[in-house]
Amino acid sequence: DRLIIKKINGENGFRARLSFMGLIENTKIRVIRFSPLGDPMQIYGRGFFMAIRKKNAADIEVEYE
């Protein structure tokens, strides 16, 4: 899925880690795959791959591109 980040909720540390990597509002990302048990998921954005837990992904508001 191709998505656009609209808002990042959650704890300050989580938001700070994402912003340091360039994942901020209006950033385009793609969901690449899920692990066999469904957690974590792999996303691609800003030229790199990242694994993120579903619990944290729920704090990211997105819309489809």
Side-chain angles (χ1 to χ4, degrees):
D1 295 335
R2 293 178 182 260
L3 308 164
I4 299 173
I5 296 175
K6 287 298 165 189
K7 185 176 179 183
I8 300 173
N9 302 312
E11 64 184 58
N12 290 335
F14 173 66
R15 290 194 316 250
R17 283 192 300 273
L18 291 182
S19 68
F20 288 141
M21 291 182 275
L23 298 180
I24 57 174
E25 286 82 10
N26 296 318
T27 301
K28 294 180 182 181
I29 60 171
R30 284 188 300 166
V31 176
I32 303 298
R33 73 185 99 200
F34 292 89
S35 71
L37 297 177
D39 195 32
M41 62 181 6
Q42 183 182 36
I43 63 172
Y44 177 81
R46 300 259 183 190
F48 65 92
F49 293 93
M50 176 180 173
I52 187 169
R53 294 180 186 193
K54 279 187 173 181
K55 179 179 106 176
N56 296 114
D59 291 331
I60 303 172
E61 294 179 26
V62 296
E63 71 178 27
Y64 286 96
E65 182 177 45

